[in-house]
Amino acid sequence: MKKNIRTLVVAIVCLTAVTGMQAQTRFTQDLWKGKPAVKSTDKKDTARVDIFLPPAEKATGRAVVILPGGGYTWLAMDNEGYGWTQFFNKLGIAAVVVKYRMPHGKPTVPVSDAEEAIRLVRRNAAKWHIDARQVGIMGSSAGGHLASTVATQAKSDARPDFQILFYPVISMDPQLTHMGSHDNLLGKKVKKIDEAKYSSDVQASRLTPRAFITFASDDSLVNPENGVNYYLQLYRNDVPATVCIFPEGEHGYGSQTSFRYHNQLLMEMESWLRSF
């Protein structure tokens, strides 16, 4: 009897695991076919995408291109990348996690990767059950800077339809920026004109897509004024934007369930995504 019960439990666990695997289709591919549009100084650094698709019958047609942070020197692929895929898939949203290349003082390298990821999703829209007009971008920390750069400056074929920013670096102004991200992106010897070019609060316009911005007011790594100033510029340009500011949480909470306001954050994001 005990043996039969044990066998039944094992069978149920196995069935649950199979069902879970069927619920999310995942595959990986190189971002670029052939040579990248912008050459990196690091020949060993390559770009790829991990695609997570919800079941076709549950697909809403929406997709999110996810850019993890890491100060433009490394990537928090788990906490700020893969950790979000199940959340989006449960909502019928495809999730594309991008392992983009590091700039080493050449900002067009990661920017070109992020833009190509948007184009890649749109090229495969029909095959992946995605509406090419519902492709958003999401980024955390330096990834948030990259996401906002694409949102404010990309041409129409690579411009996202919405943006989600977690505790983002927005400005390259030395008085406000995260200097590690600043130096890794632009180099230590940089002109003011280039700092302005890569300051998304300066570059925001009426063409910038709607935004969801979140950060903690006690963030000691990236000044919260980055997110606040970006919101104000979006407001001044009549771009719809939602801001979720938490009283604590510091920097880098991402998808961590240990974040005190994690459940509230999920509800706020889901509500925002369903609002348009």
Side-chain angles (χ1 to χ4, degrees), residues 129-142:
H129 304 286
I130 292 168
D131 184 340
R133 298 165 299 179
Q134 291 195 53
V135 182
I137 199 165
M138 174 177 176
S140 303
S141 195

Side-chain angles (χ1 to χ4, degrees), residues 56-110:
E57 65 274 13
K58 292 186 177 180
T60 62
R62 189 168 282 178
V64 178
V65 170
I66 304 174
L67 306 171
Y72 284 123
T73 187
W74 67 287
L75 295 177
M77 296 295 288
D78 292 326
N79 180 41
E80 296 173 350
Y82 305 134
W84 284 113
T85 60
Q86 191 173 32
F87 167 78
F88 287 116
N89 281 182
K90 283 183 176 179
L91 297 177
I93 301 172
V96 179
V97 182
V98 186
K99 185 272 173 188
Y100 55 90
R101 295 171 295 160
M102 297 298 100
H104 303 292
K106 190 176 181 180
T108 51
V109 172

Side-chain angles (χ1 to χ4, degrees), residues 62 64-65 84 87-88 91 93 136-141 143-145 147-148 151 160-170 208-216 226-228 230-232 234-235 239-246 253-255 259 261-276:
R62 189 168 282 178
V64 178
V65 170
W84 284 113
F87 167 78
F88 287 116
L91 297 177
I93 301 172
I137 199 165
M138 174 177 176
S140 303
S141 195
H145 177 265
S148 66
D161 299 295
F162 58 92
Q163 55 182 316
I164 300 172
L165 308 179
F166 272 58
Y167 36 84
V169 178
I170 292 294
T208 303
R210 68 178 65 232
F212 178 94
I213 309 166
T214 180
F215 51 87
N226 279 265
V228 172
Y230 190 52
Y231 166 76
L232 290 175
L234 295 177
Y235 171 79
V239 176
T242 293
V243 183
C244 286
I245 306 174
F246 298 103
Y253 48 83
S255 60
F259 174 48
Y261 303 97
H262 178 73
N263 291 334
Q264 181 182 341
L265 173 60
L266 297 189
M267 289 189 291
E268 294 287 354
M269 284 181 63
E270 181 175 349
S271 177
W272 180 76
L273 286 164
R274 294 186 186 280
S275 70
F276 62 94

Side-chain angles (χ1 to χ4, degrees), residues 4-274:
N4 291 337
I5 293 175
R6 191 183 306 115
T7 302
L8 179 60
V9 171
V10 171
I12 292 173
V13 170
C14 290
L15 180 60
T16 302
V18 171
T19 303
M21 286 188 289
Q22 290 176 339
Q24 186 183 64
T25 301
R26 173 183 178 175
F27 53 98
T28 302
Q29 66 182 64
D30 291 335
L31 177 61
W32 299 95
K33 288 186 177 180
K35 295 181 179 180
V38 179
K39 185 178 180 181
S40 172
T41 56
D42 184 354
K43 295 181 179 180
K44 295 182 179 180
D45 192 12
T46 58
R48 70 168 192 274
V49 288
D50 291 291
I51 299 101
F52 296 78
L53 303 178
E57 65 274 13
K58 292 186 177 180
T60 62
R62 189 168 282 178
V64 178
V65 170
I66 304 174
L67 306 171
Y72 284 123
T73 187
W74 67 287
L75 295 177
M77 296 295 288
D78 292 326
N79 180 41
E80 296 173 350
Y82 305 134
W84 284 113
T85 60
Q86 191 173 32
F87 167 78
F88 287 116
N89 281 182
K90 283 183 176 179
L91 297 177
I93 301 172
V96 179
V97 182
V98 186
K99 185 272 173 188
Y100 55 90
R101 295 171 295 160
M102 297 298 100
H104 303 292
K106 190 176 181 180
T108 51
V109 172
V111 170
S112 66
D113 286 352
E115 290 182 346
E116 181 62 12
I118 295 283
R119 295 190 187 99
L120 175 69
V121 173
R122 287 183 171 143
R123 286 197 301 267
N124 290 279
K127 182 167 60 176
W128 296 346
H129 304 286
I130 292 168
D131 184 340
R133 298 165 299 179
Q134 291 195 53
V135 182
I137 199 165
M138 174 177 176
S140 303
S141 195
H145 177 265
L146 182 55
S148 66
T149 298
V150 174
T152 55
Q153 299 192 46
K155 294 181 180 179
S156 58
D157 63 334
R159 189 185 294 267
D161 299 295
F162 58 92
Q163 55 182 316
I164 300 172
L165 308 179
F166 272 58
Y167 36 84
V169 178
I170 292 294
S171 177
M172 285 291 114
D173 184 334
Q175 300 300 316
L176 191 59
T177 192
H178 173 250
M179 286 307 299
S181 298
H182 172 284
D183 292 350
N184 290 324
L185 182 70
L186 303 176
K188 293 184 178 180
K189 295 181 179 180
V190 57
K191 298 179 180 179
K192 292 291 183 182
I193 191 172
D194 290 323
E195 290 177 333
K197 180 179 179 180
Y198 289 99
S199 293
S200 296
D201 52 342
V202 175
Q203 299 299 327
S205 72
R206 291 177 179 271
L207 297 177
T208 303
R210 68 178 65 232
F212 178 94
I213 309 166
T214 180
F215 51 87
S217 58
D218 66 347
D219 192 331
S220 60
L221 188 63
V222 174
N223 191 325
E225 287 185 45
N226 279 265
V228 172
N229 289 349
Y230 190 52
Y231 166 76
L232 290 175
Q233 287 304 317
L234 295 177
Y235 171 79
R236 289 165 183 150
N237 282 282
D238 296 321
V239 176
T242 293
V243 183
C244 286
I245 306 174
F246 298 103
E248 57 186 19
E250 263 292 341
H251 189 83
Y253 48 83
S255 60
Q256 293 177 355
T257 56
S258 59
F259 174 48
R260 183 174 182 177
Y261 303 97
H262 178 73
N263 291 334
Q264 181 182 341
L265 173 60
L266 297 189
M267 289 189 291
E268 294 287 354
M269 284 181 63
E270 181 175 349
S271 177
W272 180 76
L273 286 164
R274 294 186 186 280

